[in-house]
Every structure is written in structure tokens, then in C-alpha cells.
């Protein structure tokens, strides 16, 4: 697979310069060239004409670099089933503001990010973490569904449907859904107890009442997929997630469907909790429109990715509820299909390599189909922004059932230790895995709680 990494850094006078950072035989690959893009002069992302012009401007600016031009020409000229990967590594703060995913061109003009020819993502090289994550079967998912002033019933129905369907297709997976609307909680607890969701691996729990409780769940639970359906907001200059409790929903309804929330989970607390979890593969922020929403939601996804989450999806702007749910449907349908195609029944012989970037393609398409006819909404398909924590392949190591709980407990302990903890102390903790039954070396974390890539 062709893997193209475009690096964008800040130049003088707030300009941007660009080079081709991936391996290439082109003589000018690593030579920096000026990137002629002005955010203020870019077309609005409202109509098909304007979005196409925006994508063409991105294509033209990148093509001023001869090596990148050659790469893009080859990408746009590919034929299915070949697939390439175009990744943007942004080292200039202003670069995050551009919708690189809109890139448009080719002899048969198309949006590259919505075609089967190429995945388009952003790289956020993790400051900590490994490209190898440990897991046990069944796989697990957490879904937190509670946006103040917005009903979560459609999102709940979609999540449950995708879990049930993936299990019917042979994927070993369980899901715990945290909800705060009392009527929805009662309805789905009944469905999982004696109704159509009985014995489907779906558990319904009441939303925790504090941000600390949410963070502890994210830090300690051996889950692979984390999903948030809530508001992303900024409070006093601090970005975070706004999650409503059961009491909040009741009070909001009594006050004419107000939008107050008790839980504010800062992006720092969120990213640190996920960084301490050695199991998480994918985190999704399906952030909804609301009264005090943050309009640069991608920055939360970027922060989480930099802390080591292999794949993180955030919305570039708040998304309407209907489009959010269509995203959930398409994204998890494809994500679980990819997982199921890679995980064969029984123990894996070694680390399994995954590429989850293609899961965003049908998600972008379904938002396009949902919004393209709405006035001023053609560009809504650009809202999902995918961050990858590394340019290296993502690997997952299945732990044997008889030692998994011990291994993960030791890994958690090592990851939580202070940075200045003496190595001999870390080694003593790790040596507990020598106790019978002894854990084979290739299933052990290193002294920092990371699982080393073979």
C-alpha cells in the first residue's frame, strides 16, 4: 500500500512550508516549499461548488511541491481495489484549521477522502505509548450517551444494533452503555433483561455522577473501543466533555429542556486516563450541537491521540443529532467488519495488524448522503477528522485467558508509577509475573507498562 506522509510546519511570518516526509525516490521529497494557502481566502464549506473549490485549492497548493504532486497524481490515478494512505503531519498550529480531507482533483475529479482509493487522516505522533496493545476476548466497548438537551434514543438504538449485528457475524464483543435519561435507562434495561437484547453482550448502566468516576472507568477497564455522544465545550479556557447526569436531565426537562450538565471532564483528565489504559484501540467523540459547544472539537481528539490512543475520531465542528447517528451506524459497521476479518476464532498466533482508517470512508459518505441536499450543508461530510498516533502499523496482542488479568494488572501498575520511579522498583513489580503460572516473555509488558512491538 502506498503510504504518503505530508509534513507541514510553520515558516516565517506565520507562513506554512511543506515537504514529503514518507519514503520516496523523488529527488525533491525532503525539500521544503512554501504552502500557498490563506485560511481567510478559502471558500466556505457550504455548497458543492464551494467545497469542490476548497478541495481544488488544497490540491493546487500541495502540488506546488514536485514530489507531493507526483504522489497525488499517482493516488488520484489508482484503480480499486488498490488503496493508498495520505496522512498529514502538522507541526504548524494554523495547519489544523484547514480541511485537508477536502482535497479534490484527478482526471476523473473526485474527493479523495470519500473514495475507495485512499484513506485521508492526520498524524499526531504519540508522546507516550506503544503501537502494540494487549487484549483478551471478548472485545469490549464503552459508550457514554448523554448530551444535555438532546435525546440519546437514536444513538442508543444504533450502537445496540451494531453490537448485535457484529456478534451475529461472528465477532466476540460486549458493550456497556452508560445513559442518564431515566426512561431510556429503564427501557433498555428491560430489553437486555427479558427483551430482544437479552444475552447479546449489551449491558446498560446509569451514567456516573462525577467526572472522576468516568475517568476511573476509562483508566481501569480493559476496553478496546470508547464512544462519547455528548457536548464538547470550553469552560474558562479549558476544553472538555460536558456530560449530563440523570438529575441534570430531570432538571432540564422541568426547566423547559434547558442544557445544563454536572459533569465536566477536562481534555487533560480524559487523555491522561486513556493514556494509562493499555487496552484502548479507538476513541470516538461524536459531539453534538448545543448551547455552549466548542467549535474546535478536533483539538480534543488531537490531544487524546498525542497521549497514545492509536485511532481517535473527533468532529471538526458540532454535528447535528441525525448526522451524528448516521456516522455511528456507518463507522462502527465498517470498523467491526475490519476487526472481524482480522481476528480468526481461537487464540491468535501472534500480534494482529489492524488498519482502522478505512472505517471513516463509509462514515463520511453517509453524512454526505444525509446532508448534501440540505441548504448550506454539503461540506458536513468533512466533519469526522481521524487522528492516528503513529505512522507505524497498529498491532494488537491477544493475551492467554489464564494470565490476562495478572498481566493487565501489572501493566496498569507500571503505567501509573511516577516517572522518577527507580528502575529496580519497576523490575520488582514486573517480576511478579514470574510467579506460577509464569507468564511467557512475549506476553509481558516492559518496565513502563507498555507491550513491546516484536
Amino acid at each position: 500500500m502506498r503510504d504518503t506522509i505530508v509534513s507541514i510546519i510553520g515558516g516565517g511570518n506565520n507562513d506554512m512550508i511543506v515537504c514529503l516526509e514518507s519514503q520516496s525516490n523523488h529527488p525533491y521529497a525532503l525539500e521544503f516549499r512554501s504552502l500557498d494557502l490563506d485560511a481567510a481566502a478559502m471558500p466556505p464549506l457550504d455548497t458543492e461548488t464551494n467545497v469542490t473549490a476548497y478541495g481544488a485549492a488544497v490540491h493546487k497548493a500541495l502540488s506546488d511541491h514536485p514530489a507531493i504532486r507526483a504522489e497525488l497524481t499517482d493516488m488520484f490515478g489508482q484503480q480499486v481495489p488498490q488503496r493508498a494512505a495520505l496522512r498529514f503531519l502538522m507541526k504548524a498550529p494554523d495547519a489544523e484549521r484547514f480541511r485537508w480531507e477536502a482535497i479534490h482533483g484527478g482526471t476523473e475529479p473526485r474527493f479523495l477522502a470519500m473514495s475507495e482509493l485512499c484513506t485521508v487522516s492526520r498524524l499526531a505522533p504519540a508522546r507516550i505509548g506503544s503501537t502494540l496493545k494487549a487484549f483478551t476476548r471478548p472485545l469490549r466497548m464503552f459508550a457514554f450517551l448523554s448530551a444535555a438537551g438532546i435525546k440519546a434514543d437514536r444513538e442508543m438504538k444504533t450502537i445496540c444494533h451494531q453490537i448485535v449485528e457484529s456478534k451475529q457475524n461472528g465477532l466476540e464483543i460486549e458493550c456497556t452503555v452508560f445513559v442518564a435519561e431515566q426512561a431510556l435507562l429503564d427501557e433498555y434495561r428491560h430489553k437486555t433483561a427479558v427483551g430482544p437484547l437479552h444475552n447479546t453482550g449489551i449491558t446498560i448502566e446509569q451514567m456516573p455522577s462525577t467526572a472522576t468516576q468516568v475517568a476511573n472507568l476509562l483508566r481501569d477497564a480493559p476496553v478496546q473501543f470508547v464512544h462519547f455522544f455528548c457536548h464538547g465545550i470550553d469552560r474558562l479556557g479549558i476544553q472538555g466533555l460536558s456530560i449530563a447526569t440523570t438529575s441534570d436531565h430531570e432538571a432540564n426537562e422541568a426547566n423547559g429542556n434547558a442544557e445544563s450538565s454536572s459533569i465536566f471532564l477536562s481534555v487533560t483528565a480524559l487523555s491522561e486516563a486513556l493514556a494509562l489504559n493499555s487496552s484502548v484501540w479507538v476513541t470516538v467523540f461524536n459531539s453534538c450541537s448545543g448551547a455552549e459547544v466548542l467549535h474546535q472539537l478536533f483539538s480534543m481528539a488531537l490531544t487524546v491521540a498525542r497521549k497514545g490512543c492509536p485511532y481517535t475520531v473527533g468532529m471538526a465542528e458540532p454535528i447535528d443529532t441525525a448526522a451524528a447517528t448516521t456516522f455511528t451506524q456507518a463507522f462502527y459497521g465498517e470498523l467491526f467488519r475490519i476487526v472481524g476479518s482480522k481476528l480468526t476464532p481461537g487464540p491468535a498466533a501472534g500480534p494482529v495488524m489492524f488498519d482502522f482508517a478505512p472505517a471513516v470512508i463509509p462514515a463520511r459518505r453517509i453524512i454526505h448522503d444525509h446532508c448534501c441536499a440540505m441548504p448550506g450543508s454539503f461540506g458536513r461530510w468533512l466533519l469526522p477528522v481521524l487522528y492516528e498516533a503513529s505512522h507505524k502499523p497498529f498491532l494488537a496482542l491477544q493475551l492467554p485467558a489464564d494470565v490476562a488479568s495478572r498481566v493487565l494488572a501489572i501493566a496498569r501498575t507500571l503505567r501509573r508509577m511516577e516517572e522518577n520511579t527507580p528502575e529496580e522498583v519497576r523490575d520488582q513489580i514486573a517480576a511478579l509475573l514470574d510467579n506460577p503460572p509464569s507468564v511467557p516473555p512475549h506476553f509481558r509488558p516492559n518496565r513502563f507498562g507498555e507491550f513491546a512491538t516484536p
Side-chain angles (χ1 to χ4, degrees):
M1 181 179 77
R2 177 187 292 271
D3 190 357
T4 299
I5 300 175
V6 174
S7 181
I8 303 168
I9 70 171
N13 300 318
N14 296 320
D15 292 334
M16 296 183 294
I17 55 177
V18 63
C19 77
L20 182 64
E21 191 149 314
S22 49
Q23 186 174 1
S24 171
N25 294 324
H26 198 285
Y28 300 106
L30 295 175
E31 180 179 308
F32 280 100
R33 297 289 180 95
S34 177
L35 192 58
D36 186 18
L37 282 176
D38 179 3
M42 297 295 281
L45 297 169
D46 49 9
T47 65
E48 181 175 4
T49 299
N50 281 337
V51 176
T52 301
Y54 191 111
V58 169
H59 190 182
K60 180 179 182 302
L62 292 172
S63 296
D64 286 342
H65 191 293
I68 296 175
R69 180 172 62 249
E71 290 286 307
L72 292 177
T73 299
D74 288 347
M75 282 184 174
F76 278 103
Q78 284 190 148
Q79 298 296 320
V80 175
Q82 290 181 319
R83 178 179 279 157
L86 175 59
R87 301 172 181 176
F88 292 93
L89 175 59
M90 283 162 278
K91 303 174 184 178
D94 286 346
E96 290 288 348
R97 299 166 53 197
F98 289 90
R99 303 291 182 84
W100 306 102
E101 295 80 5
I103 187 169
H104 183 275
T107 54
E108 299 178 6
R110 69 190 87 194
F111 293 104
L112 202 56
M114 248 196 325
S115 76
E116 290 293 340
L117 299 178
C118 185
T119 60
V120 181
S121 62
R122 305 185 183 198
L123 275 178
R127 296 168 183 169
I128 62 174
S130 167
T131 56
L132 179 68
K133 299 289 184 181
F135 74 99
T136 59
R137 300 201 200 195
L139 301 177
R140 294 174 177 85
M141 177 176 179
F142 273 177
F144 297 87
L145 313 182
S146 186
I150 295 177
K151 300 291 186 181
D153 53 339
R154 294 177 63 177
E155 190 81 352
M156 168 75 92
K157 182 179 180 180
T158 301
I159 292 270
C160 291
H161 172 78
Q162 293 300 341
I163 294 296
V164 171
E165 186 175 75
S166 66
K167 286 178 71 71
Q168 291 172 343
N169 291 333
L171 184 64
E172 297 176 63
I173 188 168
E174 296 177 351
C175 181
T176 301
V177 186
F178 297 91
V179 292
E181 298 165 61
Q182 190 62 54
L184 193 63
L185 183 68
D186 294 341
E187 176 189 351
Y188 274 83
R189 277 184 168 169
H190 178 77
K191 287 182 176 180
T192 56
V194 295
L197 297 180
H198 183 57
N199 287 334
T200 58
I202 297 172
T203 302
I204 308 300
E205 297 286 352
Q206 190 160 30
M207 185 68 66
S209 57
T210 68
T212 299
Q213 291 172 343
V214 175
N216 288 344
L217 285 168
L218 297 175
R219 183 190 64 192
D220 296 335
V223 295
Q224 283 67 51
F225 312 106
V226 179
H227 180 88
F228 289 98
F229 177 80
C230 59
H231 297 306
I233 67 172
D234 186 309
R235 287 188 179 172
L236 302 176
I238 300 174
Q239 297 179 1
L241 296 177
S242 175
I243 303 173
T245 63
T246 300
S247 297
D248 293 330
H249 280 287
E250 292 173 350
N252 289 338
E253 288 184 7
N255 293 319
N257 205 31
E259 297 186 11
S260 64
S261 298
S262 298
I263 299 177
F264 176 71
L265 181 60
S266 73
V267 67
T268 300
L270 170 67
S271 60
E272 288 180 353
L274 290 170
L276 291 170
N277 191 321
S278 60
S279 302
V280 177
W281 299 355
V282 180
T283 302
V284 173
F285 300 106
N286 205 6
S287 302
C288 308
S289 303
E292 53 171 341
V293 295
L294 174 67
H295 285 272
Q296 290 185 326
L297 294 164
F298 61 80
S299 58
M300 282 199 294
L302 173 59
T303 301
V304 169
R306 281 178 173 167
K307 284 288 188 177
C309 184
Y311 292 87
T312 310
V313 180
M315 299 299 161
E317 296 175 6
I319 188 169
D320 68 87
T321 308
T325 299
T326 58
F327 164 84
T328 298
Q329 173 189 338
F331 178 78
Y332 286 108
E334 181 65 8
L335 178 69
F336 294 153
R337 187 200 66 77
I338 293 171
V339 175
S341 70
K342 291 289 188 177
L343 287 183
T344 56
V352 182
M353 183 183 300
F354 290 106
D355 179 11
F356 295 142
V360 181
I361 296 174
R364 288 174 175 147
R365 284 177 172 171
I366 200 170
I367 295 176
H368 168 269
D369 294 344
H370 174 78
C371 296
C372 66
M374 299 179 185
S377 298
F378 183 87
R380 303 295 282 174
W381 66 267
L382 289 164
L383 291 181
V385 177
L386 171 64
Y387 287 95
E388 298 185 57
S390 175
H391 68 279
K392 298 178 181 178
F394 169 59
L395 301 172
L397 176 68
Q398 182 177 350
L399 298 175
D402 59 335
V403 299
S405 59
R406 290 174 57 210
V407 170
L408 292 175
I410 292 297
R412 277 197 303 271
T413 300
L414 292 169
R415 288 165 76 91
R416 292 183 193 177
M417 288 181 166
E418 299 293 336
E419 291 185 7
N420 59 356
T421 300
E423 290 184 357
E424 55 268 26
V425 174
R426 291 181 175 275
D427 291 342
Q428 289 171 6
I429 298 296
L432 294 174
L433 296 176
D434 291 332
N435 296 337
S438 178
V439 177
H442 57 283
F443 290 126
R444 298 187 183 203
N446 61 22
R447 58 167 59 109
F448 299 100
E450 301 286 353
F451 292 89
T453 305

